[in-house]
Coordinates of all heavy atoms in Angstrom, one line a residue:
M18 N 37.5 -48.2 0.0 CA 38.2 -47.9 1.2 C 39.2 -46.8 1.1 O 39.3 -45.9 1.9 CB 38.9 -49.2 1.7 CG 39.5 -49.0 3.0 SD 38.2 -48.8 4.2 CE 39.0 -49.3 5.7
A19 N 39.9 -46.7 -0.1 CA 40.8 -45.7 -0.3 C 40.1 -44.3 -0.4 O 40.6 -43.3 0.1 CB 41.6 -45.9 -1.6
Q20 N 38.9 -44.3 -1.0 CA 38.2 -43.1 -1.1 C 37.9 -42.5 0.3 O 38.0 -41.3 0.5 CB 36.9 -43.3 -1.9 CG 36.0 -42.1 -2.0 CD 34.8 -42.4 -2.8 OE1 34.5 -43.5 -3.1 NE2 34.0 -41.3 -3.1
A21 N 37.5 -43.4 1.2 CA 37.2 -42.9 2.6 C 38.4 -42.4 3.3 O 38.3 -41.3 4.0 CB 36.5 -44.1 3.4
I22 N 39.5 -43.1 3.1 CA 40.7 -42.6 3.8 C 41.2 -41.3 3.2 O 41.6 -40.4 4.0 CB 41.8 -43.7 3.7 CG1 41.4 -44.9 4.5 CG2 43.2 -43.2 4.1 CD1 42.3 -46.1 4.3
Y23 N 41.3 -41.2 1.9 CA 41.7 -39.9 1.3 C 40.8 -38.7 1.7 O 41.2 -37.6 2.0 CB 41.7 -40.0 -0.2 CG 42.7 -41.0 -0.8 CD1 42.5 -41.6 -2.0 CD2 43.9 -41.2 -0.1 CE1 43.4 -42.5 -2.5 CE2 44.8 -42.1 -0.6 CZ 44.6 -42.7 -1.8 OH 45.5 -43.6 -2.3
S24 N 39.5 -39.0 1.7 CA 38.5 -38.0 2.1 C 38.6 -37.6 3.6 O 38.6 -36.4 3.9 CB 37.1 -38.4 1.8 OG 36.9 -38.7 0.5
L25 N 38.8 -38.6 4.5 CA 39.0 -38.3 5.9 C 40.3 -37.5 6.1 O 40.3 -36.6 7.0 CB 39.0 -39.6 6.7 CG 37.6 -40.2 6.9 CD1 37.8 -41.5 7.6 CD2 36.7 -39.3 7.7
C26 N 41.4 -37.8 5.4 CA 42.6 -37.0 5.5 C 42.4 -35.5 5.1 O 42.8 -34.6 5.8 CB 43.7 -37.6 4.7 SG 44.3 -39.2 5.3
A27 N 41.6 -35.3 4.0 CA 41.4 -34.0 3.6 C 40.5 -33.2 4.6 O 40.7 -32.1 4.9 CB 40.7 -34.0 2.2
L28 N 39.5 -33.9 5.2 CA 38.6 -33.3 6.2 C 39.4 -33.0 7.5 O 39.2 -32.0 8.1 CB 37.4 -34.2 6.5 CG 36.4 -34.2 5.4 CD1 35.3 -35.3 5.7 CD2 35.7 -32.9 5.2
T29 N 40.3 -33.9 7.8 CA 41.1 -33.6 9.0 C 42.0 -32.4 8.9 O 42.1 -31.6 9.8 CB 41.9 -34.9 9.4 OG1 41.0 -36.0 9.5 CG2 42.7 -34.7 10.6
A30 N 42.6 -32.3 7.7 CA 43.5 -31.2 7.5 C 42.7 -29.9 7.4 O 43.1 -28.8 8.0 CB 44.2 -31.3 6.1
L31 N 41.5 -29.9 6.9 CA 40.6 -28.8 6.8 C 40.2 -28.4 8.3 O 40.1 -27.2 8.6 CB 39.4 -29.0 6.0 CG 38.4 -27.9 5.8 CD1 39.0 -26.7 5.1 CD2 37.2 -28.4 5.1
L32 N 39.9 -29.4 9.1 CA 39.5 -29.1 10.5 C 40.6 -28.5 11.2 O 40.4 -27.5 12.0 CB 39.0 -30.4 11.1 CG 38.6 -30.3 12.6 CD1 37.4 -29.4 12.8 CD2 38.4 -31.6 13.2
C33 N 41.8 -29.0 11.0 CA 43.0 -28.4 11.7 C 43.2 -27.0 11.3 O 43.5 -26.1 12.1 CB 44.2 -29.2 11.4 SG 44.3 -30.8 12.2
A34 N 43.1 -26.7 10.0 CA 43.3 -25.4 9.4 C 42.2 -24.4 10.1 O 42.6 -23.3 10.5 CB 43.1 -25.3 7.9
G35 N 41.0 -24.9 10.1 CA 39.9 -24.0 10.7 C 40.2 -23.7 12.2 O 40.0 -22.6 12.6
L36 N 40.6 -24.7 12.9 CA 40.8 -24.5 14.3 C 42.0 -23.6 14.6 O 42.0 -22.7 15.5 CB 41.1 -25.9 15.0 CG 39.8 -26.8 15.2 CD1 40.2 -28.1 15.7 CD2 38.8 -26.1 16.1
L37 N 43.1 -23.8 13.8 CA 44.3 -22.9 14.0 C 43.9 -21.5 13.6 O 44.3 -20.5 14.3 CB 45.4 -23.4 13.1 CG 46.1 -24.7 13.6 CD1 46.9 -25.3 12.5 CD2 46.9 -24.4 14.8
L38 N 43.2 -21.3 12.5 CA 42.9 -19.9 12.1 C 41.9 -19.3 13.0 O 42.0 -18.0 13.3 CB 42.4 -19.9 10.6 CG 43.4 -20.3 9.6 CD1 42.8 -20.4 8.2 CD2 44.6 -19.3 9.6
R39 N 41.0 -20.1 13.6 CA 40.1 -19.5 14.6 C 40.8 -19.1 15.8 O 40.5 -18.0 16.4 CB 39.0 -20.5 14.9 CG 37.9 -20.0 15.8 CD 36.8 -21.0 16.0 NE 37.3 -22.0 16.9 CZ 36.6 -23.0 17.5 NH1 35.4 -23.1 17.1 NH2 37.2 -23.8 18.3
A40 N 41.8 -19.9 16.2 CA 42.6 -19.6 17.4 C 43.4 -18.3 17.1 O 43.6 -17.5 18.0 CB 43.5 -20.7 17.8
Y41 N 43.9 -18.2 15.9 CA 44.6 -16.9 15.5 C 43.7 -15.7 15.6 O 44.1 -14.7 16.1 CB 45.2 -17.0 14.1 CG 45.8 -15.7 13.7 CD1 46.9 -15.2 14.2 CD2 45.1 -15.0 12.7 CE1 47.4 -13.9 13.8 CE2 45.5 -13.8 12.3 CZ 46.7 -13.2 12.8 OH 47.1 -12.0 12.4
A42 N 42.5 -15.8 15.1 CA 41.6 -14.7 15.2 C 41.3 -14.3 16.6 O 41.1 -13.1 16.9 CB 40.3 -15.1 14.4
R43 N 41.3 -15.2 17.5 CA 41.0 -15.0 18.9 C 42.2 -14.4 19.7 O 42.1 -13.5 20.4 CB 40.5 -16.2 19.6 CG 39.8 -16.0 20.9 CD 39.2 -17.3 21.5 NE 40.1 -18.4 21.5 CZ 40.0 -19.5 20.9 NH1 39.0 -19.8 20.2 NH2 40.9 -20.5 21.0
T44 N 43.4 -14.9 19.4 CA 44.6 -14.6 20.2 C 45.6 -13.6 19.5 O 46.4 -13.0 20.1 CB 45.4 -15.8 20.6 OG1 45.9 -16.5 19.5 CG2 44.5 -16.7 21.4
R45 N 45.5 -13.6 18.2 CA 46.5 -12.8 17.3 C 47.9 -13.3 17.5 O 48.8 -12.5 17.3 CB 46.4 -11.3 17.6 CG 45.1 -10.7 17.2 CD 44.9 -10.8 15.7 NE 43.7 -10.2 15.3 CZ 43.1 -10.5 14.2 NH1 43.6 -11.3 13.3 NH2 41.9 -9.9 13.9
F46 N 48.1 -14.5 17.9 CA 49.4 -15.1 18.0 C 49.8 -15.6 16.6 O 49.2 -16.5 16.0 CB 49.4 -16.3 19.0 CG 50.8 -16.9 19.2 CD1 51.8 -16.1 19.8 CD2 51.0 -18.2 19.0 CE1 53.0 -16.7 20.0 CE2 52.3 -18.8 19.2 CZ 53.3 -18.0 19.7
R47 N 50.8 -14.9 16.0 CA 51.1 -15.1 14.5 C 51.5 -16.4 14.1 O 51.3 -16.8 13.0 CB 52.1 -14.0 14.1 CG 51.5 -12.6 14.0 CD 52.4 -11.6 13.6 NE 53.3 -12.1 12.6 CZ 54.2 -11.3 11.9 NH1 54.1 -10.0 12.2 NH2 55.0 -11.7 11.0
L48 N 52.1 -17.2 15.0 CA 52.5 -18.6 14.6 C 51.3 -19.4 14.3 O 51.4 -20.3 13.5 CB 53.4 -19.2 15.7 CG 54.1 -20.5 15.4 CD1 55.0 -20.3 14.1 CD2 55.0 -21.0 16.5
L49 N 50.2 -19.1 15.0 CA 48.9 -19.8 14.6 C 48.5 -19.5 13.2 O 48.0 -20.4 12.5 CB 47.8 -19.5 15.6 CG 48.0 -20.0 17.1 CD1 47.0 -19.4 18.0 CD2 47.9 -21.5 17.1
L50 N 48.7 -18.3 12.8 CA 48.4 -17.9 11.4 C 49.2 -18.7 10.4 O 48.7 -19.3 9.5 CB 48.6 -16.4 11.2 CG 48.4 -15.9 9.8 CD1 47.0 -16.1 9.3 CD2 48.9 -14.5 9.6
W51 N 50.5 -18.8 10.6 CA 51.4 -19.5 9.7 C 51.0 -21.0 9.7 O 51.0 -21.6 8.7 CB 52.8 -19.3 10.1 CG 53.3 -17.9 9.9 CD1 53.6 -17.0 10.8 CD2 53.5 -17.2 8.6 NE1 53.9 -15.8 10.3 CE2 53.9 -15.9 8.9 CE3 53.4 -17.6 7.3 CZ2 54.2 -15.0 7.9 CZ3 53.8 -16.7 6.3 CH2 54.1 -15.4 6.6
S52 N 50.7 -21.5 10.9 CA 50.4 -22.9 11.0 C 49.0 -23.2 10.2 O 48.9 -24.2 9.5 CB 50.2 -23.4 12.4 OG 51.5 -23.2 13.1
G53 N 48.1 -22.3 10.4 CA 46.8 -22.4 9.8 C 46.9 -22.3 8.2 O 46.3 -23.1 7.5
L54 N 47.8 -21.4 7.8 CA 48.0 -21.3 6.3 C 48.7 -22.6 5.8 O 48.4 -23.0 4.7 CB 48.8 -20.1 6.0 CG 48.1 -18.8 6.2 CD1 49.1 -17.6 6.0 CD2 46.9 -18.6 5.4
C55 N 49.6 -23.1 6.6 CA 50.2 -24.4 6.2 C 49.2 -25.5 6.0 O 49.2 -26.2 5.0 CB 51.3 -24.8 7.2 SG 52.0 -26.4 6.9
F56 N 48.2 -25.6 7.0 CA 47.2 -26.6 6.9 C 46.2 -26.3 5.8 O 45.6 -27.3 5.3 CB 46.5 -26.8 8.2 CG 47.2 -27.8 9.1 CD1 48.2 -27.5 10.0 CD2 46.9 -29.2 9.0 CE1 48.8 -28.4 10.8 CE2 47.6 -30.1 9.7 CZ 48.5 -29.7 10.6
V57 N 46.0 -25.1 5.4 CA 45.2 -24.8 4.2 C 45.8 -25.4 3.0 O 45.2 -26.0 2.2 CB 45.0 -23.3 4.1 CG1 44.4 -23.0 2.7 CG2 44.1 -22.7 5.2
G58 N 47.1 -25.2 2.9 CA 47.9 -25.8 1.8 C 47.9 -27.4 1.8 O 47.7 -28.0 0.8
L59 N 48.0 -27.9 3.0 CA 47.9 -29.4 3.1 C 46.5 -29.9 2.8 O 46.4 -31.0 2.3 CB 48.3 -29.8 4.5 CG 49.8 -29.5 4.9 CD1 50.1 -29.9 6.3 CD2 50.7 -30.3 3.9
T60 N 45.5 -29.1 3.1 CA 44.2 -29.5 2.7 C 44.1 -29.5 1.1 O 43.5 -30.5 0.6 CB 43.1 -28.5 3.2 OG1 43.2 -28.5 4.7 CG2 41.7 -28.9 2.8
A61 N 44.6 -28.5 0.5 CA 44.7 -28.5 -1.0 C 45.4 -29.7 -1.5 O 45.1 -30.3 -2.5 CB 45.3 -27.2 -1.5
N62 N 46.5 -30.0 -0.8 CA 47.3 -31.2 -1.2 C 46.5 -32.5 -1.1 O 46.5 -33.3 -2.1 CB 48.5 -31.3 -0.3 CG 49.4 -32.4 -0.7 OD1 49.6 -32.7 -1.9 ND2 50.0 -33.1 0.3
N63 N 45.7 -32.6 -0.1 CA 44.9 -33.8 0.1 C 43.7 -33.8 -0.9 O 43.4 -34.9 -1.4 CB 44.3 -33.9 1.5 CG 45.3 -34.4 2.5 OD1 46.0 -35.3 2.2 ND2 45.4 -33.7 3.6
L64 N 43.2 -32.6 -1.3 CA 42.2 -32.6 -2.3 C 42.7 -33.0 -3.7 O 42.1 -33.7 -4.5 CB 41.5 -31.2 -2.3 CG 40.7 -30.8 -1.1 CD1 40.2 -29.4 -1.2 CD2 39.5 -31.8 -1.0
L65 N 44.0 -32.5 -3.9 CA 44.6 -32.9 -5.2 C 44.9 -34.4 -5.2 O 44.8 -35.1 -6.3 CB 45.9 -32.2 -5.4 CG 45.8 -30.7 -5.9 CD1 47.2 -30.1 -5.8 CD2 45.3 -30.7 -7.3
L66 N 45.1 -35.0 -4.0 CA 45.3 -36.4 -4.0 C 44.0 -37.2 -4.3 O 44.0 -38.2 -5.0 CB 45.8 -36.9 -2.6 CG 46.0 -38.3 -2.3 CD1 47.1 -38.9 -3.2 CD2 46.2 -38.6 -0.8
V67 N 42.9 -36.7 -3.8 CA 41.6 -37.3 -4.1 C 41.3 -37.2 -5.6 O 40.9 -38.1 -6.2 CB 40.5 -36.6 -3.3 CG1 39.1 -37.0 -3.8 CG2 40.6 -36.9 -1.8
L68 N 41.6 -36.0 -6.2 CA 41.4 -35.8 -7.6 C 42.3 -36.7 -8.4 O 41.9 -37.3 -9.4 CB 41.6 -34.4 -8.0 CG 40.6 -33.4 -7.5 CD1 41.0 -32.0 -7.9 CD2 39.2 -33.7 -8.0
D69 N 43.6 -36.8 -8.0 CA 44.5 -37.6 -8.7 C 44.2 -39.1 -8.7 O 44.3 -39.8 -9.7 CB 45.9 -37.4 -8.1 CG 47.0 -38.0 -8.9 OD1 46.8 -38.4 -10.1 OD2 48.1 -38.2 -8.3
R70 N 43.9 -39.6 -7.5 CA 43.7 -41.1 -7.4 C 42.3 -41.5 -7.7 O 42.1 -42.7 -8.1 CB 44.0 -41.5 -5.9 CG 45.4 -41.2 -5.5 CD 46.3 -42.2 -6.2 NE 47.7 -42.0 -5.7 CZ 48.7 -42.3 -6.3 NH1 48.6 -42.9 -7.5 NH2 49.9 -42.1 -5.8
L71 N 41.3 -40.7 -7.5 CA 39.9 -41.1 -7.6 C 39.1 -40.6 -8.8 O 38.3 -41.2 -9.4 CB 39.1 -40.9 -6.4 CG 39.7 -41.5 -5.1 CD1 38.9 -41.0 -3.9 CD2 39.8 -43.0 -5.2
V72 N 39.4 -39.3 -9.2 CA 38.6 -38.7 -10.2 C 39.3 -38.7 -11.6 O 38.8 -39.2 -12.6 CB 38.3 -37.2 -9.9 CG1 37.6 -36.5 -11.0 CG2 37.6 -37.1 -8.5
F73 N 40.6 -38.2 -11.6 CA 41.3 -38.2 -12.9 C 42.4 -39.3 -12.9 O 43.6 -39.0 -12.7 CB 42.0 -36.8 -13.1 CG 41.0 -35.7 -13.1 CD1 41.1 -34.7 -12.1 CD2 40.0 -35.6 -14.0 CE1 40.2 -33.7 -12.1 CE2 39.2 -34.5 -14.0 CZ 39.2 -33.6 -13.0
R74 N 41.9 -40.5 -13.1 CA 42.9 -41.7 -13.0 C 43.9 -41.7 -14.1 O 45.0 -42.2 -13.9 CB 42.1 -43.0 -13.0 CG 41.3 -43.2 -11.8 CD 40.5 -44.5 -11.8 NE 39.7 -44.7 -10.7 CZ 40.1 -45.5 -9.7 NH1 41.2 -46.1 -9.7 NH2 39.3 -45.6 -8.6
D75 N 43.6 -41.1 -15.2 CA 44.6 -41.0 -16.4 C 45.5 -39.9 -16.3 O 46.5 -39.9 -17.0 CB 43.8 -41.0 -17.7 CG 42.9 -42.2 -17.9 OD1 43.3 -43.3 -17.4 OD2 41.9 -42.1 -18.6
L76 N 45.3 -38.9 -15.4 CA 46.1 -37.7 -15.3 C 47.0 -37.8 -14.1 O 46.6 -38.3 -13.0 CB 45.2 -36.5 -15.2 CG 45.8 -35.1 -15.3 CD1 46.5 -35.0 -16.6 CD2 44.8 -34.1 -15.1
D77 N 48.3 -37.5 -14.2 CA 49.2 -37.6 -13.1 C 49.4 -36.2 -12.5 O 49.9 -35.3 -13.1 CB 50.6 -38.1 -13.6 CG 51.6 -38.2 -12.5 OD1 51.2 -38.4 -11.3 OD2 52.8 -38.2 -12.8
L78 N 48.8 -36.0 -11.3 CA 48.9 -34.8 -10.5 C 50.0 -34.8 -9.4 O 50.0 -34.0 -8.5 CB 47.5 -34.5 -9.9 CG 46.4 -34.2 -10.9 CD1 45.1 -34.0 -10.2 CD2 46.7 -33.1 -11.8
S79 N 50.9 -35.8 -9.5 CA 51.9 -35.9 -8.4 C 52.8 -34.7 -8.3 O 53.1 -34.3 -7.2 CB 52.7 -37.2 -8.6 OG 53.4 -37.2 -9.8
L80 N 53.2 -34.1 -9.4 CA 54.0 -32.9 -9.4 C 53.3 -31.7 -8.7 O 53.9 -31.0 -7.9 CB 54.5 -32.5 -10.7 CG 55.4 -31.3 -10.8 CD1 56.7 -31.6 -10.0 CD2 55.8 -30.9 -12.2
A81 N 52.1 -31.6 -9.1 CA 51.2 -30.5 -8.5 C 51.1 -30.7 -7.0 O 51.2 -29.8 -6.2 CB 49.9 -30.4 -9.2
R82 N 50.8 -32.0 -6.6 CA 50.7 -32.3 -5.2 C 52.0 -32.0 -4.4 O 51.9 -31.4 -3.3 CB 50.3 -33.8 -5.0 CG 48.9 -34.1 -5.4 CD 48.5 -35.5 -4.9 NE 49.6 -36.4 -4.6 CZ 49.9 -37.5 -5.3 NH1 49.2 -37.8 -6.4 NH2 50.9 -38.3 -4.9
L83 N 53.1 -32.4 -5.0 CA 54.4 -32.1 -4.3 C 54.7 -30.6 -4.2 O 55.2 -30.2 -3.2 CB 55.5 -32.8 -5.1 CG 55.5 -34.3 -4.9 CD1 56.6 -34.9 -5.8 CD2 55.8 -34.7 -3.5
L84 N 54.3 -29.9 -5.2 CA 54.6 -28.4 -5.2 C 53.7 -27.7 -4.2 O 54.2 -26.8 -3.4 CB 54.4 -27.8 -6.6 CG 55.5 -28.2 -7.6 CD1 55.1 -27.6 -9.0 CD2 56.8 -27.7 -7.2
V85 N 52.5 -28.2 -4.1 CA 51.6 -27.6 -3.1 C 52.0 -27.9 -1.6 O 52.1 -27.1 -0.7 CB 50.1 -28.1 -3.3 CG1 49.2 -27.7 -2.1 CG2 49.6 -27.5 -4.6
A86 N 52.5 -29.2 -1.4 CA 53.0 -29.6 -0.1 C 54.3 -28.8 0.2 O 54.4 -28.4 1.3 CB 53.3 -31.1 -0.1
L87 N 55.1 -28.6 -0.8 CA 56.4 -27.9 -0.5 C 56.0 -26.4 -0.2 O 56.6 -25.9 0.8 CB 57.3 -27.9 -1.8 CG 58.5 -27.1 -1.7 CD1 59.5 -27.6 -0.7 CD2 59.2 -27.1 -3.1
G88 N 55.1 -25.8 -0.9 CA 54.7 -24.4 -0.6 C 54.1 -24.3 0.8 O 54.4 -23.4 1.5
S89 N 53.4 -25.3 1.2 CA 52.7 -25.3 2.5 C 53.8 -25.4 3.6 O 53.7 -24.6 4.6 CB 51.8 -26.5 2.7 OG 50.8 -26.4 1.7
V90 N 54.7 -26.3 3.5 CA 55.7 -26.4 4.5 C 56.7 -25.2 4.5 O 57.1 -24.7 5.6 CB 56.5 -27.7 4.3 CG1 57.7 -27.8 5.2 CG2 55.6 -28.9 4.5
L91 N 57.0 -24.6 3.3 CA 57.8 -23.4 3.3 C 57.1 -22.3 4.0 O 57.8 -21.5 4.6 CB 58.1 -23.1 1.8 CG 59.2 -23.9 1.1 CD1 59.3 -23.5 -0.3 CD2 60.5 -23.7 1.9
L92 N 55.8 -22.2 3.8 CA 55.0 -21.1 4.6 C 55.3 -21.3 6.1 O 55.5 -20.3 6.8 CB 53.5 -21.3 4.3 CG 52.9 -20.4 3.2 CD1 51.5 -20.8 3.0 CD2 53.1 -19.0 3.5
L93 N 55.2 -22.5 6.6 CA 55.4 -22.7 8.0 C 56.8 -22.4 8.4 O 57.1 -21.8 9.5 CB 55.0 -24.1 8.4 CG 55.1 -24.5 9.8 CD1 54.1 -23.6 10.6 CD2 54.7 -25.9 10.0
V94 N 57.8 -22.8 7.6 CA 59.2 -22.5 7.9 C 59.5 -21.0 7.9 O 60.1 -20.5 8.8 CB 60.1 -23.2 6.9 CG1 61.6 -22.8 7.1 CG2 60.1 -24.7 7.1
V95 N 59.0 -20.3 6.9 CA 59.1 -18.8 6.9 C 58.5 -18.2 8.1 O 59.0 -17.3 8.7 CB 58.6 -18.3 5.5 CG1 58.4 -16.8 5.6 CG2 59.5 -18.7 4.4
G96 N 57.3 -18.7 8.4 CA 56.6 -18.1 9.6 C 57.4 -18.3 10.9 O 57.5 -17.4 11.7
M97 N 58.0 -19.5 11.0 CA 58.8 -19.8 12.2 C 60.0 -18.9 12.2 O 60.4 -18.4 13.3 CB 59.1 -21.2 12.3 CG 58.0 -22.1 12.7 SD 58.6 -23.7 13.3 CE 58.4 -24.6 11.8
L98 N 60.6 -18.7 11.1 CA 61.8 -17.8 11.0 C 61.5 -16.4 11.3 O 62.2 -15.7 12.0 CB 62.5 -18.0 9.7 CG 63.2 -19.3 9.4 CD1 63.7 -19.3 8.0 CD2 64.3 -19.5 10.4
L99 N 60.4 -15.9 10.8 CA 59.9 -14.5 11.1 C 59.6 -14.3 12.5 O 59.9 -13.3 13.1 CB 58.8 -14.2 10.2 CG 59.1 -13.9 8.7 CD1 57.8 -13.7 7.9 CD2 60.1 -12.8 8.5
E100 N 58.9 -15.3 13.1 CA 58.6 -15.2 14.5 C 59.8 -15.4 15.4 O 59.8 -14.8 16.5 CB 57.5 -16.3 14.9 CG 56.2 -16.0 14.2 CD 55.6 -14.7 14.5 OE1 55.5 -14.3 15.7 OE2 55.3 -14.0 13.6
H101 N 60.8 -16.1 15.0 CA 62.0 -16.2 15.8 C 62.7 -14.9 15.9 O 63.3 -14.6 16.9 CB 62.9 -17.3 15.2 CG 64.2 -17.5 16.0 ND1 64.2 -18.0 17.2 CD2 65.4 -17.2 15.7 CE1 65.4 -18.1 17.7 NE2 66.2 -17.6 16.7
D102 N 62.7 -14.1 14.8 CA 63.4 -12.8 14.8 C 62.7 -11.8 15.7 O 63.4 -10.8 16.2 CB 63.5 -12.3 13.4 CG 64.4 -13.1 12.5 OD1 65.3 -13.8 13.1 OD2 64.3 -13.1 11.3
T103 N 61.4 -11.8 15.9 CA 60.7 -10.8 16.7 C 60.7 -11.1 18.1 O 61.0 -12.1 18.6 CB 59.3 -10.6 16.2 OG1 58.6 -11.9 16.3 CG2 59.3 -10.1 14.8

């Protein structure tokens, strides 16, 4: 059951990233770009979760997951700050 949930979370984040980046390509609204990049990172975070919990059970990838999540959210925060200035 956990495998299905982790996989669905990764697929959902990937779908969100794709939709946001596609909307950015159509409208060129830069906040969509930052949001899409954030979700790309969140997809990577979810893939690391799948690897951590299901594939490499003896290896602890929690620090890598946290760093990827932090980088993703920082991308979104920087994007919002840059868009607020313009």
